[in-house]
Amino acid sequence: THCDIESTFYLTIEDGYFYATLEEESPALLTVYSLEGKIVKQISYPANTQFSEKIDLGNLNSGIYMVKCNVSDQQVVKKIMVQ
């Protein structure tokens, strides 16, 4: 099933963690990187896996990070703040 990942990828931030949820059946790659472009976390998900993942960012310095989700030929980038 092909759908617009912009409407099926959600981020929720709570107490040093963020929760990434994707309602998509294609393989996905989730990448967290700093504003300088350094990759700080990368997780891949196999096909046919709708995920809702609790991701610990407590080891990162405070600041703004970008979360990029790639699915097939689509990608969405969202901004998060780590405090």
Side-chain angles (χ1 to χ4, degrees):
T1 304
H2 182 78
C3 65
D4 178 15
I5 66 167
E6 183 74 43
S7 63
T8 62
F9 177 62
Y10 308 98
L11 290 179
T12 308
I13 302 167
E14 182 179 305
D15 297 330
Y17 294 91
F18 81 88
Y19 298 84
T21 304
L22 180 67
E23 299 168 1
E24 177 65 50
E25 295 179 1
S26 298
L29 179 65
L30 187 72
T31 307
V32 180
Y33 57 97
S34 67
L35 291 180
E36 293 81 28
K38 179 182 175 190
I39 294 174
V40 296
K41 188 173 274 298
Q42 194 166 53
I43 305 167
S44 60
Y45 299 92
N48 299 318
T49 304
Q50 294 185 354
F51 67 83
S52 183
E53 179 103 11
K54 179 180 179 180
I55 300 169
D56 183 4
L57 297 179
N59 61 331
L60 299 179
N61 293 328
S62 296
I64 297 173
Y65 293 84
M66 306 304 286
V67 179
K68 179 168 66 173
C69 183
N70 289 81
V71 177
S72 301
D73 61 344
Q74 299 180 69
Q75 76 173 15
V76 60
V77 179
K78 298 194 178 193
K79 190 184 302 185
I80 60 169
M81 180 174 284
V82 175
Q83 297 181 339

